[in-house]
């Protein structure tokens, strides 16, 4: 636990009265900095799958086992934008993770919305949204391979590759720049 964590947890409890607070100090970079990697409950015990709402859309988020916080909150405005552009279109959500872009696209009137991710955990997360009206279909495949070899036009493409695959790995970086989007 971070040195100030006790005070931070106390302030959060006082202000927000949460059922539980989970610590997510698990990025690999912590090891490089000599810090321990930890995931656990700092207060309370709670089902790690929590329901959140983003406009009219409902998402089930794995706060303890999902990527980072379990949901990319910083993409909220982009998901709304995709919804506004998706009407009548076939939408591909490449590197889909929890399917947020697809769900918003479907709610925005997309003819079809498809989640594409290589990670089974990511597609499981996206499929957990299936109870939500207008959920998307899913495909387990390499986004780079599928998008460069498909003859079927897809519009628009919501794509947010992870930083390591898009910027750090030279082969992945060349593949990313070669995508027809």
């Amino acid at each position: 636990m971070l040195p100030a964590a006790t005070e931070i947890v106390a302030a959060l409890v006082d202000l927000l009265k949460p059922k539980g607070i989970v610590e997510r100090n698990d990025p690999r970079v912590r090891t490089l900095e000599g810090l321990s990697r930890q995931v656990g409950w700092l207060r309370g015990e709670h089902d790690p799958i929590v329901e959140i709402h983003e406009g009219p859309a409902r998402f089930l988020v794995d706060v303890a086992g999902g990527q980072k916080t379990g949901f990319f909150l910083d993409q909220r405005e982009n998901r709304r934008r995709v919804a506004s552009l998706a009407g009548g279109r076939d939408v591909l959500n490449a590197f889909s993770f929890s399917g947020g872009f697809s769900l918003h696209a479907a709610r925005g009137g997309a003819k079809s919305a498809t989640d594409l991710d290589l990670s089974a955990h990511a597609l499981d997360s996206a499929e957990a949204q299936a109870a939500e009206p207008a959920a998307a279909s899913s495909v387990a495949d390499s986004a780079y391979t599928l998008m460069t070899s498909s003859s079927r036009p897809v519009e628009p493409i919501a794509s947010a590759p992870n930083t390591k695959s898009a910027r750090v790995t030279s082969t992945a970086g060349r593949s990313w720049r070669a995508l027809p989007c």
Side-chain angles (χ1 to χ4, degrees), residues 12 33 69 91 175:
L12 288 171
E33 296 172 355
T69 61
V91 177
S175 298

Side-chain angles (χ1 to χ4, degrees), residues 83-180:
S84 74
L85 297 171
R89 295 182 167 162
D90 292 316
V91 177
L92 173 65
N93 181 11
F95 312 95
S96 63
F97 186 54
S98 62
F101 283 100
S102 300
L103 185 54
H104 278 280
R107 284 188 155 277
K111 198 169 24 171
S112 70
T114 302
D115 289 317
L116 173 62
D117 206 295
L118 197 54
S119 164
H121 184 269
L123 291 175
D124 287 346
S125 178
E127 288 174 8
Q129 315 315 329
E132 174 73 14
S137 60
S138 62
V139 175
D141 202 344
S142 162
Y144 299 113
T145 302
L146 188 69
M147 290 167 60
T148 56
S149 65
S150 177
S151 61
R152 179 177 174 228
V154 178
E155 52 175 348
I157 294 174
S159 183
N162 70 47
T163 303
K164 183 175 181 185
S165 71
R167 295 189 194 122
V168 178
T169 307
S170 62
T171 303
R174 283 191 303 275
S175 298
W176 178 245
R177 286 187 296 275
L179 292 178

